[in-house]
Amino acid sequence: MSGAALIRVEGLSKDYVTAAGAFPALRGVDLEIREGEFVAIMGPSGSGKSTFMNLLGCLDSPTRGRYWLGDRDVAGLPNEELARVRNRHLGFVFQGFNLLQRASVVDNVALPLVYAGVPRAERQARARVLLERVGLERYADSLPSRISGGQQQRVAIARALVNRPRVVLADEPTGNLDSHTTEEVMSLFSELNREEGITLVLVTHEPDVAEYAKRVIRFHDGVVVEDRQQQLRTAQRAGAVA
């Protein structure tokens, strides 16, 4: 069951300066995401969904409005402080995996802990626990090029979780995967949300992927045009009962 509000935005707006003048990518968005939710963000290209995700990830700052992560207003923080928030409270999964090809799988997973100043022995131990959680412990010492695309995305998920973030943000995480591997990755996301209560916010343009979420928020022209709860997929219900 979802808990207290983990993300809250009020009047969130973002303008970009173009040769033709200011372009409003987001127009005064108000919404809450509660702890333990699994939310899919959808919308056509240019709808504002990626801008919204960048603001939630503290990768950009809003032009106007407020953004609370937990009980902290992070909307106006300087870049150095935003970097600390990203490292301590947020996990990221991207479409392109973004793994270091010359580093081992376990070192890739442990990378956020390097920036957090965690000693090497603890980094390695925590990374190996996460690799076991995503079913890749036997590949810990392999290079990313030696495993499949789906396995690389599982490594990226483990990396996103290693710093014990408050929320995981996934931007088109299945965009480079085939349908079978997409199902495996999304089933893992569902399992992490269901069994460990991890809060997930996922951007996707694929309806089949959005079906795994418990809530769908749809953007169009910089505003929210739909915000609805939905029933879980049949496979997920079966997994929850098993």
Side-chain angles (χ1 to χ4, degrees), residues 85-96:
V85 171
R86 286 195 300 271
N87 182 258
R88 295 174 184 173
H89 302 296
L90 301 171
F92 297 89
V93 181
F94 300 100
Q95 178 176 342

Side-chain angles (χ1 to χ4, degrees), residues 9-241:
V9 302
E10 292 182 359
L12 199 68
S13 300
K14 181 65 180 181
D15 299 337
Y16 291 107
V17 178
T18 71
F23 170 74
L26 278 187
R27 307 167 185 254
V29 172
D30 300 319
L31 61 81
E32 290 186 356
I33 295 173
R34 305 185 74 80
E35 190 169 6
E37 281 199 280
F38 185 174
V39 179
I41 306 292
M42 301 192 74
S45 178
S47 64
K49 65 183 187 298
S50 294
T51 298
F52 180 69
M53 186 68 108
N54 285 340
L55 294 178
L56 291 191
C58 297
L59 299 169
D60 201 354
S61 297
T63 305
R64 294 173 301 280
R66 311 287 294 276
Y67 167 25
W68 285 270
L69 181 60
D71 58 2
R72 187 176 189 186
D73 186 353
V74 300
L77 293 179
N79 289 337
E80 184 176 329
E81 188 60 26
L82 285 176
R84 281 195 285 269
V85 171
R86 286 195 300 271
N87 182 258
R88 295 174 184 173
H89 302 296
L90 301 171
F92 297 89
V93 181
F94 300 100
Q95 178 176 342
F97 316 145
N98 291 355
L99 301 179
L100 301 177
Q101 294 301 310
R102 296 185 179 182
S104 67
V105 162
V106 69
D107 284 339
N108 267 282
V109 174
L111 188 60
L113 301 177
V114 174
Y115 299 129
V118 176
R120 177 172 173 78
E122 183 180 348
R123 293 199 308 264
Q124 292 280 308
R126 284 169 58 176
R128 288 178 185 276
V129 167
L130 264 299
L131 284 172
E132 182 177 3
R133 181 66 184 84
V134 301
L136 294 177
E137 63 274 18
R138 63 178 174 150
Y139 298 106
D141 298 313
S142 298
L143 294 176
S145 60
R146 300 286 186 174
I147 60 178
S148 71
Q151 290 169 329
Q152 289 186 57
Q153 192 62 294
R154 285 174 174 262
V155 173
I157 293 169
R159 179 185 59 193
L161 297 173
V162 75
N163 222 11
R164 298 164 185 159
R166 304 191 70 179
V167 58
V168 172
L169 304 172
D171 190 359
E172 299 282 5
T174 61
N176 287 335
L177 305 178
D178 61 40
S179 58
H180 176 73
T181 308
T182 291
E183 186 171 341
E184 289 184 344
V185 168
M186 292 310 302
S187 294
L188 175 59
F189 274 131
S190 296
E191 185 179 307
L192 291 167
N193 173 255
R194 183 178 65 246
E195 297 184 2
E196 301 183 24
I198 293 170
T199 305
L200 292 166
V201 182
L202 178 147
V203 165
T204 183
H205 66 277
E206 301 176 65
D208 288 350
V209 169
E211 286 183 9
Y212 285 86
K214 300 173 184 175
R215 177 183 174 193
V216 174
I217 299 172
R218 192 178 300 273
F219 282 76
H220 188 77
D221 289 342
V223 298
V224 174
V225 295
E226 182 182 30
D227 185 350
R228 62 179 172 85
Q229 302 291 326
Q230 66 178 8
Q231 295 295 318
L232 298 180
R233 288 168 59 110
T234 301
Q236 289 177 266
R237 291 197 296 271
V241 172

